[in-house]
Amino acid sequence: MMSIRSTSFSPATESMSETKVAPITQVDLSFLSEASSRKSSWVNLTSQDTERPDLANARVVVTGGRGLKSAENFKLLEQLAEKLGAAVGATRAAVDAGYVPNELQVGQTGKIVAPELYIAFGVSGAIQHLAGMRDSKYIVAVNKDADAPIFQVADYGIVGDLFQVLEELLEKIPDKK
């Protein structure tokens, strides 16, 4: 068995198209009884009805933390994401507070992302969250606490009121066509 972090590698280019062959080993599973093979079952597949990209594969991710203070305020992030063609993410604190569903969680116990641009609003930068987004190419952080750990990994930081920054971005960024 092999596990690969899907965001750890760039997509293959045509110059990388040379095929390399690796051996495949067959494993005999006949020792498994019929009863033991029924220990797992398919439950369901759910997805959001949205035109925004999937969080794990998005080129741009807009994430909110506890600093957003409510589920209603996350709608501002969704508006920004629509304008940027971005996915929406959240910290564990925001998910635990009930602001957004669990499938939007980024971090050690959530999804691992590595977009070209990661914008964090009201995210303190707990080590568990950083583990899920540290491979992002550019990180922009907006937080009122100048000492927040997120600024240690951010390429660009804005110390200020996230609602004021969000309002200005929503005002100045044109709607996506």
Side-chain angles (χ1 to χ4, degrees):
M1 176 173 272
M2 180 172 75
S3 174
I4 298 175
R5 190 180 214 179
S6 62
T7 57
S8 295
F9 301 95
S10 303
T13 61
E14 288 200 29
S15 64
M16 302 168 79
S17 64
E18 183 180 316
T19 304
K20 306 241 188 250
V21 178
I24 298 175
T25 306
Q26 294 286 338
V27 178
D28 179 20
L29 299 177
S30 62
F31 66 91
L32 294 173
S33 69
E34 194 173 306
S36 68
S37 68
R38 287 193 224 133
K39 288 185 179 180
S40 63
S41 64
W42 174 265
V43 177
N44 69 1
L45 173 66
T46 62
S47 65
Q48 292 181 313
D49 293 329
T50 179
E51 291 184 23
R52 286 196 301 271
D54 176 57
L55 180 58
N57 302 314
R59 290 181 59 231
V60 178
V61 174
V62 178
T63 298
R66 187 180 300 138
L68 280 165
K69 301 179 183 174
S70 73
E72 192 62 34
N73 289 335
F74 255 88
K75 293 190 182 349
L76 296 170
L77 279 190
E78 292 172 3
Q79 290 174 21
L80 181 62
E82 290 292 331
K83 288 182 175 232
L84 296 173
V88 174
T91 63
R92 180 173 181 162
V95 169
D96 287 349
Y99 301 164
V100 291
N102 191 42
E103 60 262 13
L104 297 184
Q105 183 178 328
V106 173
Q108 189 173 11
T109 56
K111 292 194 175 144
I112 307 297
V113 299
E116 291 178 30
L117 176 61
Y118 187 87
I119 310 173
F121 290 91
V123 174
S124 66
I127 193 71
Q128 294 85 352
H129 183 75
L130 298 179
M133 47 69 75
R134 68 174 178 245
D135 293 331
S136 302
K137 187 168 183 179
Y138 294 104
I139 300 169
V140 177
V142 180
N143 198 307
K144 66 180 180 183
D145 179 8
D147 296 324
I150 189 80
F151 289 122
Q152 294 175 6
V153 297
D155 296 293
Y156 302 96
I158 300 172
V159 177
D161 180 7
L162 70 91
F163 296 106
Q164 186 178 8
V165 173
L166 259 173
E167 187 178 307
E168 286 189 44
L169 287 171
L170 288 170
E171 192 178 292
K172 294 185 179 178
I173 295 174
D175 289 337
K176 187 178 178 197
K177 299 191 187 220

